[in-house]
Amino acid sequence: MIRAKVVTRREMLQGMLALGGAFALGGCAMGGGGSPLAAGTGGSARLSGGRVSVKWLGGGIVELATPDYKQIAFGDAWFWSNAGWTRFNVPKPAEYSSKEAFAQYVKGKNAEAVFVLLTHDHGDHAGDYMDALKALSDAGVPVMTTGQSDLMRAPTGLVPDFQKAGLTPAKIVSNGGAGMNFGGTSKHGAMTARLVPAVHSTLHSFPAAGFMLDIGGTRVYISGDTDLFGEMKTLGERYQPNLGIVCVGDGPFTMNPEEAARACQWLGVSHAIPVHYAHNPAVRGIEAGEEFRKAMAAIAPSVRITVMKPGETRLIQT
């Protein structure tokens, strides 16, 4: 019995030492500032003085570019099939009417790099993905794409679709065909993309995602399709985005305008643009943009809001 008590006390002491070490390591990680993550551990402190051009293409699709259009990124790829223009009574511009017209439009910008970011594989995000990549590649555009690594490289993911389209993943997908996983990084031209979680489903059963994109001296959060979730607070602390492009459509699929406003508050953005609404009967109509503006004014009135119509372009300065 005496031996058993000695062992128990020793184990208890070892446990206390281990716990103390953990607290010590935790204190080092906090750097004495009371925050579990140092400012901007996603790559830098909060960016400032940047400028990025944002064009909403309907649904959840956006075109982002530096003011000189040398760097261009597309948040998802649903262009000529995009139904998000109709409910706004906005005619779809010629450059988004076909894959050929789209490729010539992008080629005409003479960009140094074009980055296509795929959040997930639902039709209203990936409906024109393969055709767009192929058309841009054939037109000689310096295009790369990225997304969640298993979706990009698994035989049960998009690999057969790349091959069917005549595309070689190792040449057109970032990181030699690997894409990236959560916390990972992809670079193309002067742009850097980081993969962040989204709470949503996918057709291929690989995780849905969002992005933190550095472009034009601005860090842009692209939500993709997602619900509101608590880790958005950590994403804000870790990456410190300037601009949030967030889904607000509600209905059966994503968070609503009020929840999207809360997401922007948690992320700590200074500017926000609502997307992913009015593109099908299952989501909220054109009123969702103004509902988001009102919700944001009530929750975090210092956040600037830009509500757009499809085809409109805004230069955002941070």
Side-chain angles (χ1 to χ4, degrees):
M1 292 296 293
I2 295 174
R3 181 174 178 81
K5 289 181 179 178
V6 170
V7 171
T8 300
R9 288 171 181 167
R10 182 178 298 156
E11 290 175 346
M12 185 180 295
L13 179 60
Q14 289 173 339
M16 292 173 67
L17 288 171
L19 184 61
F23 277 121
L25 288 173
C28 292
M30 290 174 67
S35 174
L37 290 173
T41 53
S44 66
R46 190 179 301 277
L47 301 177
S48 63
R51 296 193 303 162
V52 61
S53 173
V54 182
K55 182 186 288 186
W56 186 30
L57 302 182
I61 317 304
V62 290
E63 174 186 289
L64 306 167
T66 52
D68 60 5
Y69 263 79
K70 293 301 181 184
Q71 309 292 320
I72 304 174
F74 291 97
D76 287 318
W78 190 43
F79 303 116
W80 49 93
S81 303
N82 193 321
W85 304 72
T86 305
R87 290 167 80 178
F88 288 89
N89 294 316
V90 175
K92 187 180 295 183
E95 59 265 33
Y96 304 111
S97 63
S98 69
K99 61 183 178 182
E100 294 83 7
F102 174 72
Q104 289 306 308
Y105 159 70
V106 178
K107 182 178 181 180
K109 296 296 186 181
N110 296 314
E112 296 172 354
V114 176
F115 217 179
V116 181
L117 313 177
L118 185 67
T119 63
H120 66 295
D121 56 4
H122 285 157
D124 61 339
H125 292 260
D128 297 326
Y129 179 65
M130 291 297 170
D131 286 342
L133 290 176
K134 179 62 173 172
L136 292 172
S137 180
D138 288 349
V141 173
V143 60
M144 291 287 289
T145 187
T146 194
Q148 198 275 334
S149 57
D150 299 306
L151 177 65
M152 292 286 129
R153 64 182 176 177
T156 53
L158 295 179
V159 170
D161 299 287
F162 282 122
Q163 295 171 340
K164 185 178 178 180
L167 297 165
T168 303
K171 294 181 179 180
I172 202 164
V173 177
S174 69
N175 296 320
M180 57 180 168
N181 221 320
F182 298 107
T185 301
S186 292
K187 296 183 178 182
H188 184 42
M191 297 173 283
T192 299
R194 297 175 177 86
L195 200 74
V196 297
V199 177
H200 198 61
S201 64
T202 65
L203 297 177
H204 285 81
S205 300
F206 296 112
F211 290 94
M212 294 287 178
L213 175 68
D214 290 0
I215 180 171
T218 299
R219 181 163 294 165
V220 184
Y221 168 68
I222 302 171
S223 75
D225 283 3
T226 189
D227 189 17
L228 179 69
F229 61 102
E231 287 184 20
M232 287 177 170
K233 297 177 182 178
T234 301
L235 295 179
E237 180 183 283
R238 181 180 183 184
Y239 295 109
Q240 300 193 37
N242 307 106
L243 170 65
I245 298 176
V246 292
C247 58
V248 304
D250 198 15
F253 304 122
T254 73
M255 58 187 174
N256 63 34
E258 295 77 16
E259 293 158 343
R262 183 67 66 189
C264 289
Q265 180 198 35
W266 288 353
L267 287 158
V269 297
S270 59
H271 205 128
I273 298 174
V275 298
H276 199 273
Y277 63 97
H279 61 288
N280 68 53
V283 300
R284 292 198 192 184
I286 60 175
E287 72 279 358
E290 290 302 326
E291 289 173 350
F292 173 74
R293 188 199 301 274
K294 292 177 182 177
M296 201 76 254
I299 293 172
S302 65
V303 177
R304 290 169 290 167
I305 306 301
T306 298
V307 177
M308 304 168 71
K309 291 182 179 180
E312 290 185 343
T313 301
R314 294 288 186 273
L315 183 64
I316 307 299
Q317 302 190 44
T318 57

